[in-house]
Amino acid sequence: MPLGLLAAAMWFGRWVRPSGDDWCFLPVVRDGGLVAMLDKFYVHDNGRVANALLVWAYARFGVPGHQWFALVSGLVVLGVLWALVLAAVRRAGATVPPGVPLLVASMVTVLFLFASPNTYKTFYWPAASVSHTLAPVLAAAAVIPLLRARTRAAEVVSLVVVLLVGVFVGTLSEETTVAALVLLVGVLLLSRWIVPLPRRRHVRIWCLTGTAGAVIGSLVLATSPGSRNRRDGRDAGLASMLGPDSLRGAAKSFAHILEALLTSWPYLGAVAAGILLGALATRPGGGTTPPVKHLLLVGAGFLAFLVSGYLCTLAAYPVFGPGVVASTRLWNDFLFVYIGLLLGAGVLLGHHLRRRMHSAVVPAVAGTAVCGLVCLSLALSLAPLEDTMRVRARQWDRQDQWLRAGAAGGARELPYRPTSISKMTEPFGRGGQRTWPSGCVARYYHLERITHTRTFPWQ
């Protein structure tokens, strides 16, 4: 069911059309390529060099790049999580029935992508996905070589990977970097109690290397002209971030976000998937996997989620203010930690239930039922979005053809009707008020300016 849901959602991606920031990215990539995109981000916008690289990777194909983005990003997320679960199971010395790791990975994928209050911005809008959806997944990918390393050469490879990923993520997303640093420091501090002695030294070096990479990437971003322009233009410097108003406002905003997450029942699907994994995992001798320091792990994980969530909210608060609560795409940087925490808690619960019941049948059936119910719920919420996307795509395509024909005929100014979706910014707001993408739309169509119209120009 989760794989079917993911496949359907990726198929719906063919209805995605540019909006918001895409209007400004497309003409830059078309006219100047990668160099122009790197210059735009590093020198002018925000300093996110890695973000510019990923935007160029899909924007260079124009509109088809937006349509294929859901398929490619969905497969990347699923592939990384599948490899991560497999590596974790093998490192634990456990075996599970075939298909269970894929089931767990696919459940986490659909929860992360589709349980969001705004699935369009989380999954379908490439500009937000590369910096707030893919970023934490790419950071998690650095753990795979660590889990699989069994020789000295493999350990060296894991250090190189985490260093490079740290630098990349540090120049991709400030919020994901914050969450990653919280987790790295947490593992480093708790390594004495949660990491076996033979692996402890390497894990500590790995955490320090990852921290160094993230710090290097963050310094590249923070010292860039684009980052300074962004902070100065929005009064979002360090002093503003650490001011009393920001500290209190971020705490209040995070409390609202936390309430929304804790009361969103579909995330129980992560617990259910964990129960399946914990109940069905066995050691070669036939016994269940040995218990670990449950309270320490769960308590440390929950604390890491709270700290990373608050710090991510604080980092975004000077720019978004109280609106950070409504900017749900920003939640993904620490939402990934939350889903991982629920999955881990489910694994421990499934292990405990199997030991008490001396059977995996009941927890396996219960976990499967909950996973199916969650997938059904997400499918029902995704269907109306697909209808909206399809209608908008047809309107967008018709207007696109009309504007291109007008520009080819020598027009310098043409009317434009907004085709809004999922609270995306359009060139004109309420009452026809001009917004910042309007100039980018004009450049995209080689016009001097566009004007607002309430009806589609071809009607």
Side-chain angles (χ1 to χ4, degrees), residues 2-205:
L3 285 177
L5 177 61
L6 181 62
M10 292 190 295
W11 175 245
F12 298 160
R14 72 192 190 279
W15 301 121
V16 174
R17 298 296 184 272
S19 55
D21 298 56
D22 300 327
W23 286 118
C24 297
F25 297 158
L26 285 170
V28 172
V29 174
R30 178 195 63 198
D31 300 337
L34 177 59
V35 174
M37 201 66 205
L38 291 172
D39 178 75
K40 174 179 172 60
F41 273 69
Y42 184 76
V43 178
H44 301 288
D45 287 359
N46 49 38
R48 298 173 184 167
V49 178
N51 200 332
L53 179 63
L54 293 180
V55 169
W56 169 82
Y58 71 81
R60 63 194 293 259
F61 299 104
V63 175
H66 293 69
Q67 295 172 302
W68 283 88
F69 183 84
L71 173 63
V72 174
S73 64
L75 291 176
V76 168
V77 174
L78 177 62
V80 169
L81 293 178
W82 190 9
L84 188 60
V85 174
L86 284 171
V89 170
R90 290 171 182 171
R91 172 54 63 180
T95 58
V96 294
V100 172
L102 180 58
L103 171 61
V104 173
S106 57
M107 274 303 302
V108 173
T109 299
V110 298
L111 286 171
F112 185 50
L113 298 179
F114 310 137
S116 165
N118 193 327
T119 296
Y120 189 87
K121 288 188 175 182
T122 294
F123 182 54
Y124 291 110
W125 184 27
S129 180
V130 295
S131 54
H132 298 292
T133 303
L134 288 182
V137 176
L138 294 177
V143 182
I144 298 173
L146 172 68
L147 294 173
R148 296 180 64 89
R150 298 184 182 277
T151 65
R152 183 58 59 90
E155 290 179 348
V156 172
V157 170
S158 71
L159 295 179
V160 173
V161 169
V162 75
L163 178 65
L164 295 178
V165 171
V167 174
F168 188 85
V169 171
T171 57
L172 175 62
S173 171
E174 297 93 329
E175 289 79 13
T176 294
T177 303
V178 169
L181 286 173
V182 170
L183 294 175
L184 287 169
V185 173
V187 173
L188 188 62
L189 294 176
L190 295 175
S191 60
R192 178 180 177 182
W193 296 278
I194 65 176
V195 181
L197 183 59
R199 296 270 298 168
R200 192 173 301 161
R201 180 175 179 272
H202 175 63
V203 169
R204 287 174 174 174
I205 296 175

Side-chain angles (χ1 to χ4, degrees), residues 301-327:
F302 188 68
L303 180 61
F305 162 64
L306 292 178
V307 173
S308 61
Y310 174 70
L311 291 180
C312 288
T313 306
L314 179 62
Y317 191 83
V319 176
F320 293 90
V324 71
V325 176
S327 300

Side-chain angles (χ1 to χ4, degrees), residues 205-247:
I205 296 175
W206 185 88
C207 290
L208 291 173
T209 305
T211 300
V215 170
I216 292 172
S218 299
L219 289 176
V220 171
L221 188 153
T223 57
S224 66
S227 180
R228 289 196 298 269
N229 291 339
R230 186 169 184 259
R231 292 194 303 267
D232 294 342
R234 302 191 181 187
D235 189 24
L238 184 62
S240 175
M241 184 187 305
L242 299 180
D245 292 339
S246 290
L247 294 173

